[in-house]
Amino acid sequence: DAKTTQPPSMDCAEGRAANLPCNHSTISGNEYVYWYRQIHSQGPQYIIHGLKNNETNEMASLIITEDRKSSTLILPHATLRDTAVYYCIVRPHGGLTGGGNKLTFGTGTQLKVEL
Amino acid sequence: KAGVTQTPRYLIKTRGQQVTLSCSPISGHRSVSWYQQTPGQGLQFLFEYFSETQRNKGNFPGRFSGRQFSNSRSEMNVSTLELGDSALYLCASSLDRIGELFFGEGSRLTVL
């Protein structure tokens, strides 16, 4: 599976947009970009995923560059409850190399939202 | 609907003992995966079961095993416990083998 690189930590003021970057320069054509977050001592929570088009849901937006080598997760109006470790994961879908639910988590980005 | 349920939530064992952890997936989900989380190694994939068959296995010794029952419930077992097995063990379920994974709250194992 392709590896991802994320900054270890970021700070954000409450109410402002949090933009979390992720590099995945070795991503393959059949690999999707997934984002999860883990609030302290809880199980990871799915946020969003995409292949090459920008995606938006009620939690966040995902912007994937045209060459697919990097992406940005955007939390439009961060709150204190968004303080968590955010994981960017690339994951193959289908085909002979489809990885099923074997996700490779990196070290993630610790986002701290402050007043 | 009910989420992924893991039992027990906390347990303490001593070296050499064995432990069995249980996971009840979300109703209708057929895939169950297990992950280990430690401060040093982070989140690591253990194995995945789908339709009672192991489909993927991570890089863990044979002391770690699992199974899935016909109702999709899953158990994992760790034999001959070592201090390094102290960790949060997370179970996740999904409808099939792609798409959104839903994680449980985990079972926190302490080995003394």
Side-chain angles (χ1 to χ4, degrees), chain A residues 79-90:
Chain A
T79 70
L80 298 178
R81 287 178 292 183
D82 292 321
T83 293
V85 178
Y86 287 77
Y87 296 99
C88 169
I89 299 162
V90 290

Side-chain angles (χ1 to χ4, degrees), chain B residues 28-108:
Chain B
H29 285 194
R30 295 190 297 161
S31 173
V32 174
S33 306
W34 289 89
Y35 289 79
Q36 181 197 63
Q37 186 170 29
T38 60
Q41 299 298 319
L43 270 159
Q44 293 186 287
F45 172 81
L46 279 159
F47 23 66
E48 177 196 5
Y49 288 88
F50 181 79
S51 294
E52 302 177 66
T53 302
Q54 188 179 89
R55 302 300 178 128
N56 255 318
K57 190 177 191 307
N59 189 26
F60 279 83
R63 300 185 297 106
F64 291 81
S65 63
R67 58 178 175 169
Q68 185 181 34
F69 302 96
S70 58
N71 61 358
S72 293
R73 192 176 69 84
S74 177
E75 288 181 348
M76 67 162 283
N77 183 278
V78 188
S79 62
T80 318
L81 284 166
E82 301 176 359
L83 296 179
D85 297 332
S86 294
L88 180 66
Y89 290 88
L90 291 157
C91 170
S93 76
S94 65
L95 273 173
D96 48 35
R97 299 191 65 219
I98 62 173
E100 184 177 350
L101 268 182
F102 294 83
F103 283 82
E105 295 299 308
S107 293
R108 185 165 295 280

